[in-house]
Amino acid sequence: MDKPIDRQRLIVKGMAGVYECFAPYSYAFMRFVTGAILVPHGVVKVMSGEIGRYSGNIGGKGIPAAVLLAYLVFFTESVAAACLAIGLFTRIAAAMVGIQMLVITFLFQWQYGYFWTNRGYEFALMWVLLCVAIWFRGGGRYSVDHYIGKEF
């Protein structure tokens, strides 16, 4: 993962030092951003406390246990997303976020097509794919999981 930069392959050779400096942190940055971007969505849901709105949307799609799943959405978008960002219980958090985004992709946004500008699944699908990659790799070197010495 941390191979040295092959300066001969670079078009702008002067960037080699920048790439070498920041490359070790790139995975941690990607993992952090994947979780951190979702946290405000969860915080807004938790602060508004409008569980009926979300359970109504879920139940409207014919999904059973809508209220329980709405609370799980609140938890996933706040707690699991924060865990993903800091790399705590990383694989579990990535699975939770990924599964939620998979459901959003196919049950809630598929009908609108690909582009997010038309309520499409583009953004949710990107999250699914990022979470799959994180699930395979785990927390990485710069994660709480790494510092406590356990992968979940």
Side-chain angles (χ1 to χ4, degrees):
M1 288 286 179
D2 294 325
K3 295 187 307 185
I5 302 297
D6 183 359
R7 292 172 182 259
Q8 299 304 318
R9 296 184 62 212
L10 295 177
I11 293 172
V12 181
K13 295 180 184 351
M15 292 298 292
V18 174
Y19 299 151
E20 287 171 348
C21 180
F22 293 105
Y25 308 105
S26 62
Y27 175 74
F29 180 72
M30 182 195 75
R31 190 204 66 241
F32 175 79
V33 169
T34 300
I37 286 176
L38 188 56
V39 170
H41 293 268
V43 169
V44 166
K45 286 178 178 71
V46 169
M47 298 306 268
S48 74
E50 295 180 30
I51 197 72
R53 174 179 168 207
Y54 298 101
S55 62
N57 288 341
I58 293 168
K61 292 291 184 179
I63 303 170
V67 174
L68 175 64
L69 290 175
Y71 279 112
L72 190 57
V73 166
F74 281 35
F75 182 82
T76 299
E77 290 186 9
S78 55
V79 177
C83 285
L84 189 59
I86 66 172
L88 177 63
F89 310 120
T90 307
R91 286 191 168 103
I92 296 167
M96 290 177 70
V97 171
I99 290 167
Q100 177 181 321
M101 291 301 160
L102 198 61
V103 169
I104 289 169
T105 296
F106 288 106
L107 294 182
F108 291 91
Q109 294 178 323
W110 191 265
Q111 65 190 351
Y112 301 109
Y114 179 74
F115 297 102
W116 70 270
T117 52
N118 293 325
R119 295 186 61 197
Y121 59 86
E122 178 181 16
F123 196 52
L125 180 61
M126 181 192 64
W127 241 317
V128 169
L129 298 174
L130 285 168
C131 286
V132 167
I134 293 167
W135 184 78
F136 281 120
R137 175 98 191 270
R141 181 188 313 168
Y142 303 106
S143 67
V144 175
D145 289 343
H146 177 79
Y147 289 113
I148 64 175
K150 297 287 183 189
E151 289 279 336
F152 298 94

